Structure formats: structure tokens, C-alpha cells
């Protein structure tokens, strides 16, 4: 996936030529719908409900229904003009990084500098890092205006499109669940500390996709898929303190197992005794 568009970051009187490029790529397996009887692909066709004619992309326009059955048609040029400046990421203000709730985050993109924008790009990045700031901005992207956030990621600037404030739903109020005892809080803290490790992106593996790929290969080869593994039986724990203690023991064992696996991987399959 390459450049989505080229434009500039604008703040104050500074303009930084940049490219907007995808920062993530979805790796989910995609399935087609088939006719069960003959395995033919199921296709979707666009047709006019008035004349019944099947339509090509060049015959389709966009219209807004302002009254029942009444439409006003808007061209691509009119939509672009309404956006103001479709090739500018306009910075509105800078805010402390910890004030932006990640629930607003939508889709990340990399902002890469064009040759003439390298120096001001680096200056903006260094200023944001030294102050611990992110930039609130607006951008016209994929035929829509978006609120956006510019943040630093390593040596790069990331453009994160945001949801509008009225698109983020308020959580339901938590129901009263009784008084929390100090010893329960301490035990919960111990569990959180036991489960605390460094964030390692390589450990984020899509095991569901891996199992699906293995199943598909089995079926392609005409082999019967292996039977599902038996579900792990979990003892029913009623007492909260007992559940916390058991969770801490389980977390410690899993953490030690992961650490041992990483050591074996780093040592080429062997763990050297350094004692």
C-alpha cells in the first residue's frame, strides 16, 4: 500500500510538505460467498430501481434525501470545495498527550516528509517530544472531513483520525457492587504487578487467523481437520480473595514460562547456566 495523498501540515505560518501513508494493514482472512450447489461466486450488481438498468461507476452520482423521495445531487468537485482545503492537515492547537482518551482514536496513518519538508518536519517532531504535546488538527481524507491527532511515534509523525465527540458513546453507569475491602485492593494490586511486563509488539499474534490458515491447508490437501482440543475446565471460585490468590499463582507460572521461552529463543534453543 502506497501514498494515499500528498499535501502539507499547516500550523501558524509554517507549511510542511508531507505524504499520508497507511500505518496498519489488516491481515484477516477474507471469504467469498458461493452458491452451495455449484460453488459459483455470488456477485452484487448495482441497478436503478426506476428503470431496472444495471449501472457502471460512471453513471452513479451521490444525492442527499432532503425530503421523502426528493434528492439533491452533489458532484465530487462540490464536495471537495465544501471541505475547505482538502490537501492540508491544519493544526488547530497543541494539547498534553495524556489528555486525549484513546477511545477517540480511529485509523492511524504515517506522515512522511517530502524532500523540502524534512527540516521543518524534524523541528515539529522535536518540539512535540520535548514538550510532551500532541497536535489536534482537521483533515479531509477519503472524501470526508475528520478531526485528527498528530503524535510522535519513534522518528515519525502519525496522523490519527478521531471520532467526533457526538460519535463517542458514554459508558453505562456502573452498578453498586458492595464495599471493597483494603486487603482485596492490595491483592488486586499484587495481581496487576505480577502480570505487568514490557510491551512487545511481536507478541501480538493473530492465533485465530493462524488456526484458520492451518484448517484451510488441511482441507486443500483433502485431509480431515483435527478434532478440537478439549475445553479447559475451570474450577468455580466463589471467594474473591481465593480467586485473586489463584490468579497470582497462575500469572507467575505463565510469566516464568514466557521468560524461559524468550531465553531459549535468544540462545538458539539453549539456556546457558550463568551461575
Amino acid at each position: 500500500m502506497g501514498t494515499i495523498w500528498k499535501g502539507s501540515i499547516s500550523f501558524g505560518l509554517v507549511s510542511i510538505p508531507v505524504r499520508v501513508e497507511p500505518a496498519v494493514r489488516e491481515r484477516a482472512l477474507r471469504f467469498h460467498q458461493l452458491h452451495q450447489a455449484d460453488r459459483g461466486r455470488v456477485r452484487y450488481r448495482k441497478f436503478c430501481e426506476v428503470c431496472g438498468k444495471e449501472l457502471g461507476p460512471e453513471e452513479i452520482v451521490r444525492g442527499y434525501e432532503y425530503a421523502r423521495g426528493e434528492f439533491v445531487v452533489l458532484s465530487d468537485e462540490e464536495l471537495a470545495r465544501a471541505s475547505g482545503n482538502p490537501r492540508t492537515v491544519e493544526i488547530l492547537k497543541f494539547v498534553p498527550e495524556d489528555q486525549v482518551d484513546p477511545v477517540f482514536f480511529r485509523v492511524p496513518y504515517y506522515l512522511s516528509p517530502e524532500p523540502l519538508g524534512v527540516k521543518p518536519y524534524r523541528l515539529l517532531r522535536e518540539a512535540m517530544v520535548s514538550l510532551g504535546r500532541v497536535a489536534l488538527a482537521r483533515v479531509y481524507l477519503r472524501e470526508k472531513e475528520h478531526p485528527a491527532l498528530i503524535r510522535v511515534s519513534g522518528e515519525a509523525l502519525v496522523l490519527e483520525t478521531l471520532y467526533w465527540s457526538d460519535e463517542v458513546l458514554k459508558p453505562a453507569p456502573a452498578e453498586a457492587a458492595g464495599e471493597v475491602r483494603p486487603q482485596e485492593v492490595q491483592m488486586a494490586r499484587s495481581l496487576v504487578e505480577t502480570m505487568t511486563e514490557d510491551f512487545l509488539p511481536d507478541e501480538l499474534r493473530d492465533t485465530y487467523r493462524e488456526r484458520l490458515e492451518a484448517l484451510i491447508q488441511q482441507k486443500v490437501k483433502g485431509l480431515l481437520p483435527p478434532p478440537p482440543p478439549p475445553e479447559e475446565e475451570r474450577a468455580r471460585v466463589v471467594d474473591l480473595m481465593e480467586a485473586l490468590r489463584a490468579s497470582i499463582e497462575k500469572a507467575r507460572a505463565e510469566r516464568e514460562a514466557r521468560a524461559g521461552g524468550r531465553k531459549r529463543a535468544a540462545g538458539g534453543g539453549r539456556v546457558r547456566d550463568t551461575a
Side-chain angles (χ1 to χ4, degrees):
M1 292 187 290
T3 300
I4 294 174
W5 63 254
K6 295 182 180 181
S8 62
I9 301 172
S10 171
F11 68 106
L13 299 177
V14 179
S15 181
I16 308 173
V18 293
R19 303 184 304 276
V20 175
E21 301 171 331
V24 296
R25 177 180 61 181
E26 186 178 345
R27 296 293 301 273
L29 299 183
R30 299 186 181 278
F31 294 90
H32 298 290
Q33 290 188 326
L34 307 175
H35 181 196
Q36 185 176 14
D38 56 18
R39 296 296 190 268
R41 286 279 302 276
V42 176
R43 302 288 185 177
Y44 294 93
R45 295 186 171 93
K46 295 183 178 181
F47 68 95
C48 175
E49 64 181 20
V50 175
C51 66
K53 177 185 175 183
E54 185 176 335
L55 303 177
E58 71 283 354
E59 299 177 276
I60 299 173
V61 296
R62 281 174 290 190
Y64 177 78
E65 188 174 19
Y66 63 90
R68 188 174 181 83
E70 299 291 335
F71 297 89
V72 60
V73 173
L74 296 173
S75 67
D76 292 342
E77 292 76 16
E78 288 170 327
L79 289 169
R81 283 199 301 271
S83 71
N85 196 339
R87 293 294 175 185
T88 300
V89 182
E90 182 185 359
I91 292 178
L92 306 176
K93 64 179 181 179
F94 295 89
V95 299
E97 189 171 6
D98 59 3
Q99 287 187 0
V100 184
D101 191 330
V103 73
F104 282 91
F105 290 1
R106 197 167 203 155
V107 180
Y109 299 91
Y110 286 125
L111 289 170
S112 302
E114 296 283 39
L116 292 176
V118 171
K119 184 173 181 178
Y121 181 97
R122 292 186 63 182
L123 286 172
L124 175 59
R125 180 196 167 279
E126 293 298 328
M128 291 171 63
V129 168
S130 64
L131 293 171
R133 299 289 189 270
V134 294
L136 283 180
R138 60 179 164 216
V139 60
Y140 186 80
L141 192 63
R142 299 193 183 278
E143 302 183 341
K144 287 180 64 178
E145 183 175 288
H146 300 271
L149 184 93
I150 299 175
R151 59 182 177 84
V152 175
S153 177
E155 295 298 316
L157 293 178
V158 171
L159 174 74
E160 191 100 36
T161 56
L162 305 177
Y163 290 100
W164 298 102
S165 61
D166 58 359
E167 292 179 312
V168 176
L169 304 178
K170 301 296 183 185
E175 298 180 2
E179 185 178 354
V180 178
R181 296 180 295 167
Q183 55 267 43
E184 291 173 335
V185 174
Q186 183 57 44
M187 191 67 74
R189 282 172 54 92
S190 298
L191 176 58
V192 171
E193 289 174 351
T194 303
M195 295 181 67
T196 298
E197 299 181 50
D198 291 333
F199 174 64
L200 302 174
D202 289 344
E203 291 183 348
L204 300 179
R205 289 175 45 233
D206 187 349
T207 56
Y208 172 66
R209 176 167 57 88
E210 291 173 359
R211 290 193 298 271
L212 270 183
E213 288 173 339
L215 174 60
I216 289 169
Q217 288 303 314
Q218 291 275 342
K219 300 199 75 171
V220 167
K221 295 174 182 176
L223 304 175
L224 292 175
E231 290 189 13
E232 180 183 351
E233 292 188 11
R234 294 190 177 186
R236 187 162 177 256
V237 182
V238 178
D239 182 73
L240 179 58
M241 292 293 286
E242 182 184 344
L244 289 169
R245 288 192 190 95
S247 299
I248 291 171
E249 292 174 5
K250 183 173 183 291
R252 283 174 179 161
E254 291 175 348
R255 182 173 180 172
E256 290 171 0
R258 284 194 300 272
R262 286 195 288 267
K263 286 182 180 178
R264 285 191 294 273
R270 292 180 301 170
V271 179
R272 292 188 300 171
D273 186 358
T274 58

